Each structure stands twice: as C-alpha cells, then as structure tokens.
Amino acid sequence: MITETDADTLPSDKGPKDRSGSTRTCIVSRESGSPDELIRFVAGPDGRVVPDLKRQLPGRGCWIKAERALVEKAVAKKLFARALKADVRADAALADDVDRLLVEQLAGMMNMARKAGQFVSGATKTEQAVRGLAALGVFHAIDAAADGVRKIDQARKAMSFVVENETEIPAFRSFTVAEMEGLLGSNAFIHAAALAGQAGEGVVKRAIMLEKYRGSVPVRAEGGAGKPQQ
C-alpha cells in the first residue's frame, strides 16, 4: 500500500536513454521488472499523460506493469503527477488508449512478420506449421468455428509430446474476424501461425503483452491426439 510519503518518491526515469538500472519499478505495485514487462508513460506537450510503448519519447518517464487494473489505479490515485514530478493530467480513458496501442502494435508486427515470411494464415498452413515444429504461436479469431480450432489444438497437443520440455505452442484469441478486418484489411485471418524468426518472435511477444494487459486466460489445447506410444 502506497502512503502519502511514499507517493512523493515514486520511481521514474530521466529519459528514454536512462540506463541507470536493468530493471524498472512499477509506480503502483512497487514491483520491479524488465522494461519488456512494463509500460512507460511520459507527459505529452499538452500536459496529458501518454503511453510510450516504444520507450522512445523524450522527458522523464514512469513505469507500470502491463496490467489494465494497475493503469486504472494509477489514474484514480493521481500517481502520474507525483511520479513525473509535473502538473500532468491522466485521462479516464488512458487504460483504453494503452489497449488500443497494444493492439495496433501487435497488428503492425503481424504485417511485418508476414512480409518476412514468418507469419502464415489459413487452417491448413497453420496446422502444418504446428506439426512441423515451425510455429512459435498460433492465433484464432474469437468467432472461429470450433472444428477448425479443435484440429489445430490436436496438433498442438500432439507436438507437445515431441518437444523435450513437453510445452504446448501458445495459442491466442484476441480479436473477432471483423476486428481483424479493421486492423489488417486483406490480411485478416481466422487461423494463423507466427513462425520462427525475429519478426515471428516479435508477434508472440506482443501477443503475450496484450494478453497480460487484458488479464486473459491462456488458451489451452482441449482433447488432442494423446501421447504417442513408446
């Protein structure tokens, strides 16, 4: 619990190039983490608090764990002004702005990965990528047909017994088809897979960040082919 005295010393950085520590401290939970686990906020030119997802905006910044509830709490308790040591305003819609930016960042990375040949769509290609151990993560539309999801789930379950640590390839269901059409246009999909490579890793990394921010429950493979016989 943050007291009035503590609030006067809320952690912040001196700018995007401040490398005084390898970890950052959340101004709400006071928990430390790597910059990839938190979201940086700065004061915009108009005095409003803005998210700095790329960690490039100039000026003093403060950090919050990538959880919507924590951003909402920081707004409600007016923690930004104290952390940034400035007369700033945090709009009530700030948590929604962060969600929108995380979504746009994920969509942009998907397009980048597709151009790099590290993102494929379609049920057949997605299943092939999973069974070929080329997929880093799979994606389904929220309103995808259950049968298509089940077939890819079976492949994920089967392949989890092939890899050494028996972990499932992660699956994400963040958007409806209509939402993806708005984000990706002609590149919208029902089923897709991010493939091995820097861009593909970037897609999964951003999908995990969005999932954590929204507090989504990880998608587990249902049923499956069962463990192969020895």
Side-chain angles (χ1 to χ4, degrees):
M1 178 173 148
I2 297 175
T3 66
E4 288 298 323
T5 301
D6 291 335
D8 291 334
T9 59
L10 290 178
S12 61
D13 63 45
K14 297 178 182 178
K17 295 183 179 181
D18 182 355
R19 299 293 181 266
S20 57
S22 58
T23 62
R24 299 298 183 187
T25 302
C26 173
I27 65 171
V28 182
S29 69
R30 287 303 188 102
E31 295 176 336
S32 297
S34 73
D36 288 340
E37 299 172 320
L38 295 93
I39 298 171
R40 184 174 186 259
F41 294 85
V42 300
D46 61 355
R48 284 188 170 86
V49 175
V50 296
D52 179 20
L53 268 61
K54 295 183 178 180
R55 307 191 289 274
Q56 295 176 343
L57 295 178
R60 182 181 294 274
C62 62
W63 301 74
I64 297 178
K65 285 182 64 179
E67 296 178 17
R68 183 186 181 99
L70 295 180
V71 175
E72 292 174 339
K73 189 171 183 179
V75 173
K77 291 186 172 294
K78 299 180 171 57
L79 298 183
F80 289 106
R82 292 165 182 159
L84 296 174
K85 297 179 172 59
D87 183 18
V88 297
R89 304 182 306 281
D91 292 340
L94 183 61
D96 291 332
D97 291 341
V98 173
D99 188 284
R100 174 179 54 79
L101 291 172
L102 288 171
V103 166
E104 291 175 355
Q105 190 178 68
L106 173 57
M109 185 54 69
M110 285 177 172
N111 283 330
M112 186 180 300
R114 188 184 293 275
K115 291 177 182 177
Q118 296 171 21
F119 194 84
V120 297
S121 57
T124 300
K125 289 183 178 180
T126 299
E127 183 178 352
Q128 289 174 343
V130 172
R131 293 192 180 277
L133 297 179
L136 299 179
V138 300
F139 298 81
H140 306 293
I142 291 174
D143 45 350
D147 185 56
V149 175
R150 187 180 308 111
K151 289 179 180 178
I152 295 169
D153 269 357
Q154 289 173 347
R156 289 172 56 219
K157 179 66 74 175
M159 292 304 100
S160 72
F161 299 122
V162 174
V163 296
E164 186 174 341
N165 56 4
E166 295 192 4
T167 56
E168 291 178 5
I169 297 167
F172 306 92
R173 300 186 76 167
S174 303
F175 314 113
T176 65
V177 172
E179 287 171 335
M180 278 190 286
E181 287 175 347
L183 290 167
L184 301 170
S186 60
N187 288 332
F189 58 83
I190 297 176
H191 308 284
L195 309 182
Q198 186 174 1
E201 290 173 0
V203 172
V204 174
K205 175 181 173 181
R206 285 159 178 77
I208 291 173
M209 175 75 88
L210 179 61
E211 188 175 72
K212 286 182 177 179
Y213 183 77
R214 290 179 168 180
S216 303
V217 177
V219 178
R220 309 295 298 180
E222 298 294 336
K227 190 168 185 174
Q229 297 295 317
Q230 299 296 323

